[in-house]
Structure formats: C-alpha cells, structure tokens
C-alpha cells in the first residue's frame, strides 16, 4: 500500500504529474472515490488546524520567531463550525498544528475526540517537542483516538539539541518520550503510531546514525528531515539562495488547507503569518473559500509557473529552490 508520504515523494520527483494532479483533484469521480461526495470542487485532503500558536520553544529555524500574528487559542464555536463545514467528507487528514505547540491547548484531547466522532474515517496527527508531555497527557493521548504523533527531537546530546531547540530541556524531552513508549506498552495501545523526527542541519548531521540506533525498535517510523527555509529563516541545507525563476509547481494549493486559531485561512503549511491574506472560516463555508476566486488565481499562477506576484509563493524555497523534498540524503550511506 502506498502511504501518503511515499505518494508525496513520487509526486515531488515526477514533475510530469504536476498538471494532472491539478486537473484530477477537482473531478467529481475523484471526489466520490476519495471523499464519498460527488462534487465539482477542490476538497482539501490535509487540514492544518492550528488550535493554538502558543509555543514553549524558540527554535532558531522556526518562522514563528518573525510571526506578527497575535497568540491565542481556537474558540470552541470556531472549531465546531469548521468541523461542521467538513462533516460530509470522509477520510480527511487533520494536522493539529501550524506554528504552535499542541500540548499547550487545554482542549486538545476533546478536539481530537470530536473530529474522530464527526468526520468519517478521519485521521488525526500532531507534532510535539514533548517537553510538556506529562504522564496524564500521555494517557489522554492514548484515550483520545489520535492516529499518529511525531516527536521532534533534533539530536542525541544535550549540547546539540538545546542549541537547535532553544528553551527546551533535552533530558525532559527524552524522559517524556521514553515514558510515552512505556505507558503505550502497558496500555497495550495500538495507536497512536509514533514517528521520531530529527531535523538535520550542519549542527547535528553527525548524529544521524546514533539517532537511528537510539529509536530503532521503539518508534514505528524514524524520519530524518532536512532543515529547510520555512519562507524567511534562511536555514535550509538544500537552498542557499532563491532562483530568479520559478523551478516547479507546488501541490499545496489543491491539497492542503491551513486554518489559524482565529479562523483565518492560510495558503500552505509554510504561510506562517497569513501572508496570502485569504478568507475567514468563521463567517464563510470552508469549501467555498477553498474554491473562491483568489484561491483559483493562485492555482492558475502556479500552473503557469508565474508566482512572482503571489505572496508568499514568491519567497518560497520549495518552488524557487530545492526544499520541496524534505528527505535528508547524506553523502555516505547511513
């Protein structure tokens, strides 16, 4: 079975699929098979639902450091309205973060349960730095129905980790993750699937082999991810400067829908500061917004490879650089 990540890798490497994806994603027959609804509109497959943009870390690679949006938590009525708008579509994938730490949201576990109850076949995921992962929260995660979780632990030593994840404590993160694995085993829990993620830069690339050894046999998956630019950080190990012309098309305008904690819509998971200035889920139907004139103008510009005037696409190292594929490929075979 082809996983979502494997499919993404295939699409990234096979540029011939860029046009067909934009066309097929709107076909009623595709939507009937994929979402259970005959509709001639684009349906977002991955909903990035930012329940909060509060965070306990100040990672040097995170665009949140330059974020001007106010910090807050998604009101329950806004959250409920979003789920109601999406209720008729099956198999949606919800990622419960954009620019915050999900474990800071006091309603996180109620939200997971609500999504699982109201969206047929929904998959729910979030990333965490694990510093706030208490035993109580670990058990709540097991009981919530969460499908998968990524622990972002970017190193194997205190010195390296705490340079990258400013404000975090290495021993706390490791102890909390180890405790998570212990409790999951005690509860005989099948879910969530656990992904250990290391974001690789020049600071920690020498620790990749040890990282894999540390978590192999414990985690369900280990993802070694290249440090990227995230629009404005200039931290990519793949793209040192943007190309003068657009190099490729991006699939996010037809696949991904970010919704910030206040109900405003983003363009992609890198749109950290509402740079695209799209609509408001509080007052309008989400699917209608996803298919409005502004979204379609962005899609047309993407297909023409003419995003020079489209914010934030015109500063994105995924389409003006080499950051589309996040896989880290070391020179030697680790």
């Amino acid at each position: 079975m082809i996983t979502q990540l494997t499919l993404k890798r295939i699409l990234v490497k096979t540029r011939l699929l860029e046009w067909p994806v934009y066309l097929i994603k709107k076909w009623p027959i595709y939507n009937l098979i994929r979402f259970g609804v005959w509709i001639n509109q684009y349906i977002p497959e991955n909903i990035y639902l930012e329940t909060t943009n509060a965070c306990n870390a100040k990672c040097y690679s995170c665009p949140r450091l330059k974020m001007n949006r106010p910090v807050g938590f998604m009101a329950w009525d806004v959250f409920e309205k979003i789920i109601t708008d999406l209720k008729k579509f099956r198999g949606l994938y919800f990622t419960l973060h954009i620019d915050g730490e999900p474990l800071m949201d006091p309603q996180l576990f109620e939200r997971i349960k609500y999504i699982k109850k109201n969206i047929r076949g929904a998959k729910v995921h979030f990333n965490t730095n694990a510093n706030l992962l208490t035993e109580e929260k670990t058990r709540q995660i097991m009981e919530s129905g969460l499908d998968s979780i990524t622990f972002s632990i970017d190193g194997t030593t205190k010195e390296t980790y705490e340079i990258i994840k400013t404000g975090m404590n290495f021993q706390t993160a490791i102890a909390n993750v180890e405790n998570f694995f212990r409790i999951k085993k005690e509860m005989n829990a099948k879910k969530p699937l656990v992904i250990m993620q290391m974001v690789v830069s020049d600071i920690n690339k020498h620790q990749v082999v040890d990282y894999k050894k540390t978590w192999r046999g414990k985690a369900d998956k280990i993802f070694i991810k290249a440090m990227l630019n995230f629009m404005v950080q200039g931290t990519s190990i793949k793209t040192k400067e943007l190309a003068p012309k657009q190099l490729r098309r991006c699939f996010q305008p037809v696949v991904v829908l970010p919704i910030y904690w206040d109900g405003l819509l983003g363009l992609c998971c890198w749109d950290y500061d509402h740079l695209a200035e799209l609509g408001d889920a509080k007052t309008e139907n989400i699917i209608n917004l996803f298919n409005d004139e502004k979204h379609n103008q962005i899609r047309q510009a993407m297909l023409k490879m003419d995003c020079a005037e489209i914010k934030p696409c015109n500063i994105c190292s995924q389409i003006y650089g080499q950051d589309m594929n996040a896989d880290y490929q070391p020179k030697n075979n680790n």
Side-chain angles (χ1 to χ4, degrees):
M1 182 178 178
I2 298 178
T3 65
Q4 186 178 29
L5 181 58
T6 301
L7 180 59
K8 180 181 177 183
R9 289 169 177 163
I10 294 171
L11 294 176
V12 165
K13 293 178 181 178
T14 313
R15 290 204 52 208
L16 293 173
L17 292 177
E18 291 176 354
W19 265 93
V21 167
Y22 269 76
L23 296 174
I24 293 169
K25 280 281 296 164
K26 195 176 180 181
W27 287 355
I29 188 64
Y30 173 84
N31 289 330
L32 180 65
I33 295 169
R34 177 62 182 82
F35 303 108
V37 176
W38 182 274
I39 188 172
N40 186 29
Q41 289 182 303
Y42 287 113
I43 309 300
E45 296 190 24
N46 191 343
I47 316 297
Y48 274 80
L49 196 56
E50 180 185 74
T51 67
T52 182
N53 62 343
C55 191
N56 57 334
K58 293 183 178 180
C59 306
Y60 81 94
S61 62
C62 183
R64 191 179 182 280
L65 298 176
K66 294 182 173 70
M67 183 179 72
N68 292 309
R69 294 190 291 124
V71 175
F73 296 82
M74 183 173 283
W76 187 264
D77 62 328
V78 176
F79 170 76
E80 194 173 47
K81 192 267 182 186
I82 291 168
I83 302 306
T84 298
D85 282 357
L86 299 170
K87 198 169 185 177
K88 67 180 180 180
F89 306 105
R90 72 180 180 210
L92 298 177
Y93 191 95
F94 288 84
T95 302
L96 300 186
H97 64 265
I98 299 178
D99 294 305
E101 166 54 54
L103 291 178
M104 295 189 74
D105 176 15
Q107 294 182 297
L108 176 65
F109 307 112
E110 287 78 12
R111 298 188 203 271
I112 296 169
K113 292 175 182 177
Y114 191 84
I115 292 170
K116 299 292 288 184
K117 180 180 178 181
N118 288 279
I119 305 288
R120 292 173 296 152
K123 301 293 184 184
V124 185
H125 172 87
F126 67 81
N127 287 27
T128 175
N129 58 49
N131 267 249
L132 300 176
L133 187 66
T134 62
E135 182 165 333
E136 179 185 4
K137 287 180 179 178
T138 293
R139 295 186 183 279
Q140 287 178 306
I141 287 171
M142 305 298 175
E143 295 165 355
S144 69
L146 184 71
D147 293 281
S148 58
I149 188 169
T150 294
F151 293 123
S152 185
I153 310 290
D154 300 328
T156 59
T157 63
K158 175 180 175 66
E159 293 73 22
T160 299
Y161 170 89
E162 292 184 5
I163 290 173
I164 296 169
K165 289 207 168 322
T166 307
M168 297 293 92
N169 184 282
F170 178 70
Q171 286 91 346
T172 297
I174 296 299
N176 288 347
V177 172
E178 292 283 10
N179 196 44
F180 184 94
F181 284 121
R182 176 184 62 79
I183 294 173
K184 185 182 180 189
K185 185 176 181 180
E186 288 177 359
M187 295 178 68
N188 195 28
K190 302 292 185 183
K191 295 192 298 185
L193 179 144
V194 179
I195 304 159
M196 295 302 304
Q197 176 179 281
M198 178 180 180
V199 178
V200 179
S201 65
D202 290 337
I203 297 171
N204 64 357
K205 64 184 180 182
H206 62 288
Q207 297 183 341
V208 169
V209 174
D210 286 342
Y211 191 90
K212 291 178 180 179
K213 289 178 180 177
T214 299
W215 300 111
R216 188 176 290 127
K218 297 178 181 179
D220 296 290
K221 294 183 180 179
I222 299 173
F223 184 26
I224 308 300
K225 180 179 180 180
M227 182 76 77
L228 305 176
N229 273 333
F230 304 107
M231 293 297 183
V232 291
Q233 289 307 98
T235 50
S236 175
I237 63 173
K238 293 190 170 192
T239 302
K240 298 307 178 185
E241 60 182 26
L242 299 182
K245 292 185 178 181
Q246 188 174 336
L247 302 176
R248 64 179 312 121
R249 300 175 183 90
C250 177
F251 296 109
Q252 292 210 40
V254 295
V255 175
V256 171
L257 177 60
I259 307 175
Y260 306 118
W261 69 268
D262 55 4
L264 297 179
L265 269 59
L267 177 59
C268 70
C269 60
W270 279 22
D271 185 4
Y272 68 99
D273 217 16
H274 196 225
L275 300 173
E277 298 182 347
L278 299 172
D280 190 342
K282 294 191 299 294
T283 57
E284 298 179 67
N285 179 273
I286 288 173
I287 301 303
N288 290 342
L289 286 172
F290 196 59
N291 288 272
D292 66 9
E293 183 179 356
K294 189 161 187 178
H295 270 93
N296 287 326
Q297 287 174 348
I298 292 169
R299 291 174 185 128
Q300 287 301 312
M302 190 64 70
L303 283 173
K304 294 176 183 176
M305 293 185 64
D306 185 21
C307 290
E309 303 300 321
I310 305 294
K311 296 180 180 180
C313 304
N314 55 3
I315 58 170
C316 181
S317 55
Q318 292 195 53
I319 61 174
Y320 284 90
Q322 304 303 319
D323 284 1
M324 181 70 75
N325 185 357
D327 288 353
Y328 173 68
Q329 299 295 339
K331 291 181 180 179
N332 57 337
N333 223 354
N334 290 334

